[in-house]
Amino acid sequence: MENTKFCPVKLLPACKAAIWGGHRLKAEYGKHSDLPSIAETWELSCHPQGESTVASGPFQGTTLSEYLRKLGPEAVGTRVKGAEFPILVKFIDAAERLSVQVHPDDAYARRVEGQAGKNEMWYILDCEPGAQLLFGLKESCTREELEKAIRENTLVEQMRAVPVQKGDVYFIPAGTLHAIGKGILVAEIQQSSDVTYRVYDYGRLGQDGKPRQLHVEKALAVADTVSRPVESSPEGPRQEIQGGFMTRMKTSSWFTVDKLELSGNFASACGPESFQAFLCLKGCGDLSGGGEYLSLQKGDTVFLPACMGAYRLTGEGEFLRIFL
């Protein structure tokens, strides 16, 4: 294997439409699509429902999964078990509120859906004044009581409404009933899964003019009926590092996320245990490593192979760094 193949690559996302999507990802994050509006961009994805595409280097134009197959297991690292790429990273523009939904854990999703479950993290990029999300239940209940609330359309009243601010971070474990509210822009890091059980949709009609499908029975099978506290702060403190500040947003069994506030030169390295990925949220930067040089702008996503070794990120901006 030629070492020159192990270099950072830019990615182009798969763009997704939904009735609640808006225009900010086009206008502010440089996303290009023929869709009239964009609800989500799947920035780092090998999921068959929406793969990202390599946009730089000798493998330009290939899907991310094809690129990783050509490079071999050294590209993803030893923490990736099996053939599936484990992470999916998105931008989400909720111009209108999303449905109330819930995701299954790995055991249920593998058994019933044939794919991974979905634990996820939201980083609030921006929000309208007064914006809020729904997160879990105000009070614990039985499964029978939850079913009654769903059938009688009183579920929203029993959920916890959480005001959000720019910079908040939320971890949403599988089984948590939740909904992103109107006017919220999110960077989402999740397991590579597209399993969503919709429980309530405010009586809206889909793009086909019909009520969107609900998945009540499956939702009841996986929903957590215990009321749990909501935490909106990063996991770790904001620490000064070479080239700026670093904050550990979340460490989990499925992904680790750091926020980098860059003002200068940040030098680090990929190790054999995991790939790394950067999302440019604000400003710009230049990334060099593996003999490659990339210029990053707001909205760009870059993948760094695990075996690449040292890299340097220089510039002024805000980035999320994601790895296992």
Side-chain angles (χ1 to χ4, degrees):
M1 184 69 67
E2 299 177 10
N3 290 333
T4 53
K5 291 183 178 179
F6 296 113
C7 60
V9 292
K10 276 189 180 182
L11 299 175
L12 290 177
C15 297
K16 300 284 187 173
I19 60 174
W20 44 264
H23 303 281
R24 297 189 66 179
L25 295 178
K26 285 186 177 183
E28 301 175 32
Y29 287 78
K31 303 304 174 183
H32 300 285
S33 174
D34 293 333
L35 297 171
S37 63
I38 301 177
E40 302 180 348
T41 56
W42 291 19
E43 297 289 322
L44 176 70
S45 171
C46 288
H47 197 282
Q49 294 301 315
E51 286 209 49
S52 43
T53 304
V54 175
S56 66
F59 296 102
Q60 183 174 353
T62 65
T63 63
L64 179 58
S65 61
E66 183 181 358
Y67 163 77
L68 294 177
R69 282 195 299 270
K70 290 181 177 179
L71 263 62
E74 304 100 312
V76 294
T78 57
R79 289 179 183 161
V80 175
K81 307 301 181 185
E84 293 181 2
F85 188 73
I87 289 179
L88 201 166
V89 177
K90 304 175 179 178
F91 286 123
I92 298 176
D93 177 14
E96 300 293 337
R97 58 190 176 179
L98 275 67
S99 61
V100 178
Q101 53 193 241
V102 66
H103 309 298
D105 62 14
D106 284 325
Y108 186 94
R110 290 291 182 194
R111 185 176 74 252
V112 177
E113 307 291 352
Q115 60 178 299
K118 188 175 176 184
N119 291 269
E120 59 190 351
M121 190 204 93
W122 297 335
Y123 177 64
I124 307 300
L125 299 171
D126 200 9
C127 58
E128 295 177 355
Q132 62 183 23
L133 53 84
L134 298 177
F135 192 111
L137 299 168
K138 293 177 184 176
E139 298 181 0
S140 300
C141 66
T142 65
R143 203 155 299 278
E144 291 72 23
E145 289 170 333
L146 178 60
E147 180 176 12
K148 184 172 184 290
I150 293 171
R151 302 295 184 192
E152 296 179 354
N153 293 325
T154 61
L155 177 61
V156 170
E157 288 75 17
Q158 298 188 33
M159 293 182 65
R160 183 182 284 111
V162 181
V164 300
Q165 297 183 14
K166 182 177 179 179
D168 284 352
V169 55
Y170 298 90
F171 181 68
I172 304 92
T176 304
L177 290 159
H178 63 274
I180 299 175
K182 177 181 178 179
I184 302 178
L185 194 65
V186 172
E188 178 177 285
I189 296 86
Q190 59 161 91
Q191 290 179 267
S192 183
S193 174
D194 194 32
V195 182
T196 295
Y197 298 147
R198 192 181 295 125
V199 225
Y200 180 69
D201 199 31
Y202 312 98
R204 292 186 296 195
L205 302 180
Q207 294 174 328
D208 60 0
K210 300 176 181 179
R212 296 203 296 171
Q213 183 181 6
L214 301 181
H215 314 92
V216 175
E217 298 306 321
K218 289 182 176 180
L220 286 169
V222 303
D224 185 0
T225 60
V226 177
S227 178
R228 303 186 189 278
V230 179
E231 178 58 61
S232 62
S233 299
E235 179 179 299
R238 182 173 183 259
Q239 296 182 322
E240 188 170 5
I241 59 168
Q242 177 194 9
F245 294 88
M246 185 83 81
T247 306
R248 175 57 50 89
M249 309 301 278
K250 181 63 183 180
T251 305
S252 74
S253 301
W254 304 277
F255 47 75
T256 298
V257 183
D258 292 327
K259 181 175 75 171
L260 172 62
E261 299 167 79
L262 183 64
S263 182
N265 297 294
F266 171 68
S268 188
C270 297
E273 65 280 353
S274 176
F275 66 88
Q276 296 186 28
F278 281 90
L279 272 69
C280 182
L281 307 180
K282 179 181 178 182
C284 59
D286 297 318
L287 190 142
S288 59
E292 184 71 17
Y293 175 91
L294 297 175
S295 179
L296 304 183
Q297 305 293 325
K298 180 179 177 179
D300 283 346
T301 299
V302 62
F303 175 87
L304 287 66
C307 51
M308 188 185 76
Y311 65 84
R312 182 179 296 273
L313 182 59
T314 304
E316 299 276 342
E318 184 175 296
F319 302 80
L320 291 185
R321 180 173 70 165
I322 300 139
F323 56 98
L324 299 183

